[in-house]
Amino acid sequence: DTGVSQDPRHKITKRGQNVTFRCDPISEHNRLYWYRQTLGQGPEFLTYFQNEAQLEKSRLLSDRFSAERPKGSFSTLEIQRTEQGDSAMYLCASSLEGGQYEQYFGPGTRLTVT
Amino acid sequence: AQSVTQPDIHITVSEGASLELRCNYSYGATPYLFWYVQSPGQGLQLLLKYFSGDTLVQGIKGFEAEFKRSQSSFNLRKPSVHWSDAAEYFCAGLFSGGYNKLIFGAGTRLAVHP
């Protein structure tokens, strides 16, 4: 069990650029979640996948955000036309359907939009 | 509305002293409840969880939490704090309607004085 991994760990980009983050869940976990955490706040839910199906999206996930999990394994989160308000830590978590609902988190990707 | 509240933003304790971090939830039914810890620059590590049954649950690193339905609370405790416990602590709940998205409190930052 290597845990949830995320890449990159840090990303600095200029406003208006597109960025893509990757998450690799724990290998046997079929559920994958994305959260966003801003300074001084708890994480907020963005979206979740069961296998390759995206089953729920938060209102926080504007049309500039898109997430995919094409083969039910790793996932990508893309932000188009980044804005300064997108600066945050983006956390990925995974869990096992039929388990006890524990979500295991990766180290996060810190995005800074200048 | 479903919510999790952590009334204390910052807490400072002396090393060796006891600790209690407060968490309250707002919901008609009992959610699944979790405590996570986040060290600087790190992801979230699960400390313990409550689903049902015994209202006193034990976790890792010597932490325990007690669920009190009458107070809608799930407070985290540790009898003797170590300097390495300095971190941010998040209480979170999974509410019915899918049990898919964790709703987090704003967190409590713990400082430990030698």
Side-chain angles (χ1 to χ4, degrees), chain A residues 33 35 37 100 102-103, chain B residues 36 38 49 51 100 102:
Chain A
Y33 312 81
Y35 292 83
Q37 184 180 21
Q100 287 203 312
E102 301 102 321
Q103 294 183 20
Chain B
Y36 285 87
Q38 186 176 38
K49 60 185 184 287
F51 295 132
N100 297 318
L102 283 166

Side-chain angles (χ1 to χ4, degrees), chain B residues 25-96:
Chain B
Y25 66 89
S26 175
Y27 190 56
T30 300
Y32 297 153
L33 294 163
F34 305 83
W35 275 99
Y36 285 87
V37 60
Q38 186 176 38
S39 299
Q42 302 298 312
L44 297 159
Q45 182 181 21
L46 179 64
L47 287 175
L48 47 76
K49 60 185 184 287
Y50 172 77
F51 295 132
S52 64
D54 194 346
T55 56
L56 185 64
V57 294
Q58 302 297 319
I60 62 171
K61 303 186 178 188
F63 286 93
E64 65 179 27
E66 184 172 13
F67 170 69
K68 292 185 177 180
R69 185 187 308 273
S70 61
Q71 299 177 17
S72 298
S73 69
F74 186 56
N75 294 350
L76 182 71
R77 301 195 296 241
K78 187 169 185 177
S80 177
V81 171
H82 188 262
W83 64 266
S84 61
D85 293 323
E88 187 139 27
Y89 291 80
F90 292 95
C91 182
L94 273 178
F95 297 82
S96 65

